[in-house]
Amino acid sequence: MNIIQSGEILGARVEGLDLSQPLSPAEFVEIEQALGRFGVLSYPKQVLTSLQLKQFAERFGQLEINVANAYQEPGLPEVMILSNKVGPDGKPLGLSDAGQDWHTDMSYSKMVAFTNILYGLEIPHRHGEPLGNTEFVSMHAAYDDLPEAMKQRLEGKTITHDFAKFWDMMRAKPGSTRGPLTPAQRAAKPPVSHPAVMVHPITGKKVLYANPGYSMRINELPEDESAEVLAFLFTHQLQAKFQYKHRWQVGDVLMWDNLGTLHNAVPDYRPDEPRYIKRCQVMATRYFDVAAA
Ligand code: OGA
Ligand code: MN
């Protein structure tokens, strides 16, 4: 295995590893460390069954099963389809608008997401350039670059995250087919709180754990002050100097660290430009205790 750094703020390419085969303990440790350090890892030219994708993913922690969602591989509910394609019956083959604004996965959940693992089977291109890039920002860098007074101000603070914030924002976009959350869906995902600053379980360094997709409120501050600080943090953390983009190629497996990065799926392709991706969401069960959370 050869890990080649992008030379940018995030990102490395892992070559010489066939993900259809089990990782050795040494390979696992090397990858886990690299994921903490580089935030986003890509493995080009993989040929995987859905079961092999699931088996690779579950080495990193418990997999999430998205109960509310229909776009699951038959018999493998941990593998979900992200796609803008429709079947012969006109029904969508996958979730078509996943992640289309800045967020980090499952910050709205008591047990947050650790790494999301995507396998690109169809990637739109135009004039030879890939479309539907996935963009990232580094929360190690964003934390380090905060003014000292802001670091002090965030110390010991917690933030409320709410699933409904991203849902309602996506719903308000033109052409959205999302309906309002049902009372049952709403009840299944009540708001949760997490520390505003976390010590990253792999790097041991502090990261900013806030994101415009789900973060609602800094609990210990008055409402107006919370709104002001969150607005500052959202602008701060999305600065171009913290950004990295993955340009997809067919066969890429892409995994990112949800504790140390935010991401955004760029919807710059048309319905007649198919994108088809399989995904496994890995929760942070290796690092956090769900009972304690
Ligand atoms: C996700 C997501 C990004 C993409 O699956 O959580 O944000 O590029 N996907 O599909
Ligand atoms: Mn996402």
Side-chain angles (χ1 to χ4, degrees):
M1 152 170 57
N2 199 1
I3 302 181
I4 302 147
Q5 300 180 42
S6 70
E8 298 177 56
I9 194 141
L10 291 165
R13 198 170 71 247
V14 184
E15 295 196 334
L17 200 59
D18 175 357
L19 301 185
S20 72
Q21 303 302 312
L23 294 178
S24 71
E27 285 168 340
F28 178 81
V29 168
E30 199 174 338
I31 284 174
E32 186 186 40
Q33 289 301 312
L35 184 59
R37 176 151 171 227
F38 305 117
V40 184
L41 299 180
S42 65
Y43 308 79
K45 300 192 172 67
Q46 298 294 324
V47 180
L48 300 177
T49 64
S50 291
L51 181 61
Q52 288 165 339
L53 176 65
K54 180 195 146 185
Q55 286 168 340
F56 171 67
E58 67 194 359
R59 282 294 304 273
F60 295 89
Q62 200 175 311
L63 302 183
E64 197 239 347
I65 298 180
N66 195 332
V67 277
N69 216 294
Y71 309 117
Q72 295 166 347
E73 277 285 79
L76 284 175
E78 304 89 347
V79 179
M80 192 174 156
I81 310 299
L82 309 180
S83 187
N84 61 344
K85 293 176 75 171
V86 291
D89 56 1
K91 288 211 183 102
L93 296 183
L95 181 63
S96 64
D97 64 356
Q100 294 179 353
D101 216 315
W102 288 101
H103 67 288
T104 195
D105 296 328
M106 292 180 69
S107 72
Y108 55 78
S109 169
K110 271 190 184 156
M111 179 52 74
V112 300
F114 165 43
T115 180
N116 201 347
I117 303 181
L118 271 54
Y119 177 37
L121 288 159
E122 290 178 62
I123 303 299
H125 280 72
R126 212 182 287 159
H127 314 304
E129 294 294 318
L131 300 169
N133 292 337
T134 310
E135 301 178 331
F136 298 88
V137 279
S138 166
M139 289 307 100
H140 279 97
Y143 178 79
D144 289 345
D145 195 52
L146 283 174
E148 208 50 47
M150 183 56 78
K151 288 183 184 170
Q152 296 297 326
R153 211 165 163 196
L154 292 178
E155 208 51 47
K157 301 286 191 297
T158 61
I159 296 181
T160 295
H161 299 257
D162 191 345
F163 177 75
K165 183 181 182 191
F166 197 84
W167 186 277
D168 291 343
M169 185 266 302
M170 288 303 298
R171 224 169 91 65
K173 290 193 179 188
S176 173
T177 54
R178 295 189 188 211
L181 285 178
T182 63
Q185 285 172 318
R186 194 75 194 79
K189 294 178 192 294
V192 299
S193 290
H194 298 295
V197 177
M198 279 195 199
V199 175
H200 192 283
I202 301 172
T203 64
K205 296 186 179 141
K206 287 182 177 176
V207 292
L208 174 61
Y209 196 71
N211 70 87
Y214 299 115
S215 298
M216 299 290 289
R217 171 77 195 261
I218 302 177
N219 300 311
E220 296 78 8
L221 297 181
E223 177 68 57
D224 55 340
E225 208 181 318
S226 160
E228 188 190 303
V229 173
L230 282 181
F232 169 83
L233 293 176
F234 297 157
T235 303
H236 171 82
Q237 69 187 169
L238 299 182
Q239 289 177 80
K241 65 182 177 183
F242 304 137
Q243 291 190 19
Y244 169 77
K245 91 169 57 114
H246 179 69
R247 295 159 48 84
W248 282 93
Q249 294 300 332
V250 170
D252 282 351
V253 167
L254 186 73
M255 77 191 291
W256 61 82
D257 166 20
N258 272 307
L259 306 170
T261 67
L262 311 188
H263 61 280
N264 171 37
V266 181
D268 58 354
Y269 49 94
R270 296 185 305 254
D272 64 329
E273 295 173 308
R275 188 180 198 253
Y276 192 90
I277 284 179
K278 294 184 180 180
R279 121 175 163 176
C280 287
Q281 183 76 264
V282 185
M283 295 184 291
T285 45
R286 282 174 57 79
Y287 311 107
F288 303 122
D289 182 354
V290 75

